Amino acid sequence: MKTTVQNPDLARFVEAGTLYLGAPEAAELVRRHGVAACIEAIAANIRADFLRWADFDKTARVAAHSDVGVIELMPVADAQRYSFKYVNGHPGNTRLGLSTVMAFGVLADVATGAPLFLSELTLTTALRTAAMSALAAKVLARPDSRVMALIGNGAQSEFQALAFQHLLGITELRVYDVDPAASAKLVGNLQGSGLRVTVCASTAEAVRGADIVTTVTADKRNALILTPEMIQPGMHLNAVGGDCPGKTELHGDILHASKVFVEYEPQSRIEGEIQHQPADFAVTEFWQVLRGERSGRDSTDQVTVFDSVGFALEDFSALRFMQQTAEHLGLGERIALVPPLADPKNLFGSLRATTAVAA
């Protein structure tokens, strides 16, 4: 006799299997809910989850590096839910017609280990990265910030632009990419957004006059996208592209002249802009600012840096949103990711043919 399952998510899993949200369905979800609304909702989830930071079992992501890219697993859990994300980063993929970043993830029930939700996370990662960037800037940047420079105009750029427009009130975007076609793509995609977009001939030109500078470049190497002479008092720097060992975007002197914030320090020490800094280089974990345990920006003229590498808790927050919204909109399908067994102790019996042969 089966015991009645009290957890609604687990009850649906027992009855019909894992909810699967594929890439086409995720895109439909975002179209129907709206890009800005999705980013805002994910940002709200991230804020709520960061405020209960101590509730989570956290670890730096597990990475397999090669000469051409990286493949990573990003796990995190609280007492009710476990999540992980599989994600790669291969800058050369576009030559093969593949995305630089591809991802999927799972939300599971801690009490049973049941995989409740399996989802694409390529599109969702772009949404949650933008949500995290905008949330950090809302807390750390000057409240009167209206102009943002966006360096790197690839797959993440439109999401970053819309996040800063809708969550911070950015009205003007100054953009630069080494590939002019990427900037043209960005301009085309932002038509009708209400943002005033200026394509610049260099990083230095784009940064000039900006209140916020977001760097989201893809090359897997140490680079100097921003150098000290480009930085003006009061700027907020949102460094997104430096997200693995050997890959940075900021000159080290910028960090020494700024107040630096990170997501999860043990991971950022390995992968972030601070990877080449001594172990005693001072940083503040962002959750501490949200909880009021540490200060954020200390003055109008202070330069702040959010050294963002992406952390598993942000994907946990995004997966919660995608699952809830998919169920609300009736999107996705139930799949037998785990074998349905009449007798849970008889896995071998599932190999028997179930179709009777006609006499």
Side-chain angles (χ1 to χ4, degrees), residues 2 56 94 121 177 222 229 241 248-249 270 272 323 341 357:
K2 287 186 178 179
F56 289 91
T94 54
L121 284 183
D177 195 291
N222 291 323
E229 70 276 5
T248 57
E249 296 177 313
I270 298 169
Q323 180 191 25
L341 301 174
V357 178

Side-chain angles (χ1 to χ4, degrees), residues 125-200:
T125 292
L127 293 167
R128 77 88 159 120
T129 302
M132 184 70 243
S133 296
L135 175 62
K138 194 172 182 67
V139 174
L140 301 174
R142 298 193 329 270
D144 62 349
S145 297
R146 294 294 178 266
V147 180
M148 182 168 80
L150 186 54
I151 312 303
N153 302 158
Q156 295 268 345
S157 58
E158 293 89 350
F159 299 94
Q160 293 282 333
L162 294 171
F164 278 81
Q165 178 189 23
H166 289 278
L167 273 69
L168 274 84
I170 290 295
T171 58
E172 182 179 347
L173 205 60
R174 299 175 59 80
V175 306
Y176 173 71
D177 195 291
V178 293
D179 178 10
S183 298
K185 175 268 305 178
L186 173 66
V187 171
N189 284 338
L190 292 179
Q191 286 289 335
S193 67
L195 282 165
R196 188 164 67 255
V197 184
T198 301
V199 177
C200 300

Side-chain angles (χ1 to χ4, degrees), residues 151-276:
I151 312 303
N153 302 158
Q156 295 268 345
S157 58
E158 293 89 350
F159 299 94
Q160 293 282 333
L162 294 171
F164 278 81
Q165 178 189 23
H166 289 278
L167 273 69
L168 274 84
I170 290 295
T171 58
E172 182 179 347
L173 205 60
R174 299 175 59 80
V175 306
Y176 173 71
D177 195 291
V178 293
D179 178 10
S183 298
K185 175 268 305 178
L186 173 66
V187 171
N189 284 338
L190 292 179
Q191 286 289 335
S193 67
L195 282 165
R196 188 164 67 255
V197 184
T198 301
V199 177
C200 300
S202 67
T203 297
E205 181 186 339
V207 168
R208 196 174 302 125
D211 304 307
I212 296 172
V213 179
T214 292
T215 56
V216 59
T217 60
D219 282 350
K220 189 178 182 294
R221 61 190 174 89
N222 291 323
L224 297 179
I225 305 301
L226 296 182
T227 51
E229 70 276 5
M230 300 179 188
I231 310 306
Q232 298 298 314
M235 276 183 172
H236 173 68
L237 310 182
N238 179 41
V240 179
D243 57 0
C244 66
K247 182 184 178 187
T248 57
E249 296 177 313
L250 309 186
H251 191 289
D253 288 348
I254 295 175
L255 301 176
H256 288 277
S258 307
K259 188 171 183 180
V260 180
F261 301 83
V262 299
E263 291 141 310
Y264 181 55
E265 185 175 348
Q267 180 173 295
S268 298
R269 293 280 180 191
I270 298 169
E271 302 184 345
E273 293 296 329
I274 63 171
Q275 63 185 265
H276 300 303

